[in-house]
Amino acid sequence: MEAFDIINILIAILGIIVASVSSYSLLTGENVTLPYMQILLGVMLLLLGVRQLKEKRKGLAIFLFCVATFSIFINMNILLR
């Protein structure tokens, strides 16, 4: 198995987890899980950035890294308040 395949599997698993948590939050009306969900989205964006970097799309990879870093940083601040 190549590293590229592992990244794709991790992206798919994180996507399923994020979709499940957001569906739970939508159905129950609880917003406690939103920062956790957005941290997972940030990790997923980091993995997408790595994948784009391996495909030699540096512009999109840098953008994804910036958005992921911003998302993780903001949500960690929300959780640590």
Side-chain angles (χ1 to χ4, degrees):
M1 231 181 185
E2 290 183 22
F4 193 72
D5 293 335
I6 295 171
I7 290 174
N8 286 336
I9 291 169
L10 287 174
I11 290 170
I13 290 170
L14 283 172
I16 291 169
I17 292 170
V18 167
S20 301
V21 172
S22 63
S23 298
Y24 170 77
S25 179
L26 183 65
L27 291 174
T28 61
E30 292 182 20
N31 293 329
V32 178
T33 59
L34 288 176
Y36 300 108
M37 181 184 64
Q38 290 192 354
I39 289 172
L40 289 174
L41 278 172
V43 173
M44 192 168 94
L45 288 173
L46 279 174
L47 291 173
L48 283 169
V50 170
R51 184 171 75 181
Q52 294 302 317
L53 201 58
K54 288 185 183 238
E55 292 178 359
K56 308 230 186 300
R57 295 180 180 171
K58 290 183 183 179
L60 184 57
I62 291 171
F63 177 72
L64 287 168
F65 288 142
C66 291
V67 172
T69 305
F70 178 76
S71 175
I72 292 170
F73 177 74
I74 295 298
N75 287 297
M76 289 301 287
N77 281 335
I78 290 171
L79 286 175
L80 296 175
R81 266 198 279 163

